[in-house]
Amino acid sequence: LVPGPIRTARVHERAVSAFRIGAERRTHGHTGVLIYLSMREHRAEILADAAIASKVSPDVWGEAMAALLADVKAGRLADGMIAAIERVGVVLAEHFPAGSENANELPDRLIEI
């Protein structure tokens, strides 16, 4: 019964809060990315830290979001998350390739709240 814009705003607020706690400014290069999925509100968000957000158009995140939602809508949650992570990984590899000076600084794991 909650209107869509209110659900969207709530999910955005929670995503931003989770990002600030778990990833924002926690990497040396400010390249953290959060893929946030709220099953309760049927909403998702992709947030990027400053360095990656300044180099990547919102349309690129839209592609990752579309990949996520296609599988989620079909009931394949894990496949959706994997698809989104793969697309985000491609973007990160293009702009911030892994190497000795760009180590993986955040845990690669799902955090379920």
Side-chain angles (χ1 to χ4, degrees):
L1 297 173
V2 177
I6 292 173
R7 287 188 293 168
T8 299
R10 287 178 182 170
V11 168
H12 178 73
E13 289 171 16
R14 285 196 302 272
V16 168
S17 177
F19 186 64
R20 285 184 177 148
I21 292 167
E24 186 178 42
R25 298 185 187 146
R26 291 187 181 253
T27 62
H28 177 68
H30 299 279
T31 58
V33 176
L34 172 75
I35 302 170
Y36 185 89
L37 177 62
S38 173
M39 297 303 297
R40 183 175 184 184
E41 285 87 5
H42 301 276
R43 300 282 189 279
E45 290 261 346
I46 298 177
L47 300 175
D49 215 338
I52 192 70
S54 69
K55 294 184 179 222
V56 176
S57 151
D59 296 346
V60 173
W61 302 127
E63 293 171 15
M65 183 67 74
L68 168 68
L69 296 179
D71 283 322
V72 168
K73 288 179 181 178
R76 297 183 306 270
L77 302 179
D79 291 340
M81 290 300 286
I82 291 167
I85 291 166
E86 286 174 344
R87 283 172 178 75
V88 167
V90 168
V91 173
L92 289 172
E94 177 184 341
H95 295 284
F96 299 95
S100 60
E101 293 185 25
N102 186 18
N104 190 359
E105 300 171 82
L106 297 173
D108 293 331
R109 61 183 173 86
L110 176 67
I111 300 171
E112 190 172 345
I113 303 171

